[in-house]
Amino acid sequence: MNAKKIFLSLGLAVFLTGLAAQQPGSRAEIGEHAMKRLTGGKHDDMVLYFTSNSVLADDRRMIFIRTIDGCNNLWLLDMETGEEKQVTYFTDRSPNELFFHQFHQNDFKAIYIASVVLHGKTEMIYFIKDRKLWRFNVNGNGRVLAHLPEKTDIGQCHVNEQGTKLVMSTVEDRMFDAGSNFDRAAREMNISSRLLVYDTDNGDLLLDEVVHGAYVDHVQFSPVDDRLILYNHEWASDQGIRRMWIFDGRQHIRLRTEGEGRSRKDGVVHETWERETGHLIYHGDYTDGTRYIGRIVFDDPHDATRYTITEIPLPPECKKYGHFSVSNGHMLVSDGHFVLPGEKASWGGEWISLFMPDWEKKTVEVKPLCRHRSSWTCQEVHPHPVFNHAASAVIFTSDFEGRRAVYKVDIE
């Protein structure tokens, strides 16, 4: 069927060479593209979680997280000169490496790295540490905005386009004492999550919305209407129809439905807003194992009740785990999915690749840029690629040189 034909452009892949070890500022050629290490390589560095862009509005500077002996701090990097400047000077350490999904996070006093979010225009950084919401500017001036609820675990944070509101999710931490099936525990024990919205100037609590019987995470304001908050039911057993939700200030709207080839047994992950349109991008896999990318287009970007779902099956060459992130246009970047013929089987992908979907024709062009060669051993080393604001480069994390570092690959 023409609607399901996928056009795969190998682009630069035919010119692939091995990836050489790099010095700061050096380049390792891969076809016509080169990835450049941006951070020093002596410590463990990483980009922010992909729902927050790490790059400031000037597209020259970025914020990254550096971990030294279990202590997390924020640093400012000039991507042109390589100059690094420390922003926070905390000394609290975690008793062990603090993984994204290591629960009871608030038992530790180090910066919770999954919570760090940057507002590029105002150059303000927000994060959770020691059960407190902190705000810092890039010059290192910061303070506590709010104290967070006890006996809860904190998820990701997100700031609206204006930089005036921050949303976070919480869930009762007794859920993590009930075994590994968190979704079942949340429903059977009627465990509640909450959507909390804070004023980023004075720390006032603007919204406290309870979501019963669910583990809520991945909260994100719509870029065109901050009344709309996207969130998920993490690890939902029937994620094909229960993963993605929107709270519009009055009601909770479940998004993906069954029908037209969609099933409640499908996998759905990594939902995110398109930056300019107020539509949604997500991806997953069908019950037969075929991977796909999906898009939800709202009839009115201020009304989440009326929308159209379009999904594009990916070709057999796209079969490894990874994330998708959006640019200012309709181009996507992934750290997984694409596989060269003959590449060894593994769970996570090895490539930073561009995906250019045509949602009307249900086709997608794929262009591999470079091998990131991350080990995928934990969330901290997942590449989590993001575009800069001009969509002229991709920033990501990899540990292929032995330590986590931040890398950049330019786009022609």
Side-chain angles (χ1 to χ4, degrees):
M1 297 175 60
N2 290 336
K4 291 188 176 180
K5 284 185 179 179
I6 310 297
F7 297 99
L8 178 66
S9 173
L10 293 180
L12 308 170
V14 295
F15 301 106
L16 294 177
T17 63
L19 187 57
Q22 303 172 51
Q23 299 300 318
S26 70
R27 291 179 178 272
E29 296 296 329
I30 303 180
E32 297 177 10
H33 291 77
M35 58 185 278
K36 175 184 178 182
R37 173 150 52 77
L38 297 177
T39 58
K42 296 181 180 179
H43 307 289
D44 286 313
D45 304 328
M46 60 183 294
V47 297
L48 309 187
Y49 195 61
F50 76 99
T51 51
S52 171
N53 200 317
S54 299
V55 183
L56 276 71
D58 59 13
D59 264 352
R60 172 171 178 154
R61 295 167 298 152
M62 67 166 290
I63 293 293
F64 68 95
I65 302 169
R66 172 163 288 168
T67 303
I68 302 176
D69 296 330
C71 180
N72 304 321
N73 275 295
L74 305 178
W75 289 68
L76 177 70
L77 171 71
D78 187 313
M79 292 186 286
E80 294 185 6
T81 67
E83 179 185 3
E84 297 178 350
K85 175 183 176 183
Q86 192 166 351
V87 176
T88 64
Y89 287 85
F90 295 112
T91 58
D92 298 305
R93 288 170 166 79
S94 302
N96 47 37
E97 188 169 12
L98 191 58
F99 298 132
F100 271 54
H101 294 307
Q102 178 180 328
F103 303 107
H104 297 296
Q105 295 280 2
N106 295 305
D107 293 339
F108 307 116
K109 293 183 178 296
I111 292 176
Y112 176 33
I113 57 177
S115 71
V116 183
V117 58
L118 167 70
H119 189 259
K121 295 177 183 177
T122 59
E123 302 190 352
M124 291 292 184
I125 316 158
Y126 304 85
F127 56 88
I128 306 301
K129 179 188 177 298
D130 197 19
R131 205 176 291 280
K132 300 179 183 74
L133 172 61
W134 297 73
R135 184 190 71 185
F136 269 75
N137 64 22
V138 296
N139 296 317
N141 300 313
R143 65 183 179 90
V144 173
L145 278 181
H147 293 256
L148 305 180
E150 297 292 329
K151 298 182 179 179
T152 60
D153 189 82
I154 311 300
Q156 277 85 26
C157 301
H158 194 254
V159 179
N160 66 350
E161 284 291 302
Q162 296 74 30
T164 57
K165 299 178 184 178
L166 178 141
V167 61
M168 73 173 68
S169 62
T170 71
V171 63
E172 295 179 74
D173 60 11
R174 65 188 176 99
M175 181 179 70
F176 303 121
D177 298 323
S180 60
N181 192 329
F182 301 135
D183 179 59
R184 184 176 63 189
R187 289 189 283 175
E188 291 182 353
M189 299 169 62
N190 195 28
I191 290 173
S192 296
S193 293
R194 295 157 74 179
L195 303 174
L196 302 178
V197 176
Y198 292 91
D199 186 298
T200 57
D201 181 48
N202 56 31
D204 287 350
L205 182 61
L206 305 177
L207 173 71
D208 185 349
E209 176 69 15
V210 177
V211 183
H212 295 287
Y215 173 20
V216 167
D217 206 355
H218 280 212
V219 289
Q220 300 166 64
F221 288 112
S222 166
V224 299
D225 187 344
D226 63 20
R227 296 175 305 165
L228 305 182
I229 299 174
L230 173 67
Y231 67 92
N232 70 18
H233 284 196
E234 191 71 273
W235 292 318
S237 57
D238 49 355
Q239 61 182 275
I241 61 169
R242 203 162 55 84
R243 163 83 183 194
M244 298 186 295
W245 296 74
I246 283 179
F247 178 62
D248 67 359
R250 296 176 296 105
Q251 59 185 326
H252 295 266
I253 302 163
R254 189 172 67 179
L255 293 175
R256 192 174 185 265
T257 57
E258 288 190 293
E260 299 180 329
R262 301 184 300 271
S263 166
R264 67 181 57 226
K265 296 181 180 180
D266 296 337
V268 180
V269 290
H270 302 142
E271 56 285 327
T272 188
W273 296 99
E274 289 184 341
R275 293 187 191 176
E276 296 176 333
T277 64
H279 304 316
L280 293 179
I281 295 290
Y282 59 96
H283 65 105
D285 54 276
Y286 295 123
T287 54
D288 66 358
T290 302
R291 296 187 181 273
Y292 68 88
I293 52 174
R295 186 181 191 226
I296 294 178
V297 174
F298 298 98
D299 295 348
D300 180 341
H302 306 284
D303 179 1
T305 63
R306 297 179 291 112
Y307 56 85
T308 302
I309 299 173
T310 303
E311 293 180 352
I312 304 175
L314 297 178
E317 292 85 357
C318 295
K319 57 188 177 184
K320 291 189 178 184
Y321 178 83
H323 306 80
F324 276 100
S325 185
V326 297
S327 71
N328 286 332
H330 296 299
M331 186 165 54
L332 310 176
V333 64
S334 178
D335 52 11
H337 298 89
F338 175 77
V339 179
L340 271 181
E343 274 189 347
K344 63 180 181 180
S346 63
W347 174 67
E350 295 187 15
W351 288 87
I352 300 295
S353 303
L354 301 181
F355 283 67
M356 286 74 73
D358 185 322
W359 295 104
E360 292 186 2
K361 295 181 179 178
K362 293 187 178 180
T363 62
V364 61
E365 180 185 2
V366 184
K367 177 183 285 188
L369 292 178
C370 66
R371 289 185 190 268
H372 57 73
R373 295 176 63 187
S374 173
S375 69
W376 291 94
T377 53
C378 62
Q379 284 280 343
E380 285 85 348
V381 300
H382 289 192
H384 290 144
V386 292
F387 290 96
N388 64 357
H389 301 287
S392 60
V394 174
I395 314 297
F396 60 95
T397 302
S398 179
D399 64 344
F400 84 93
E401 293 184 89
R403 288 188 175 273
R404 296 194 305 265
V406 177
Y407 296 85
K408 174 186 176 185
V409 59
D410 292 325
I411 302 170
E412 293 180 347

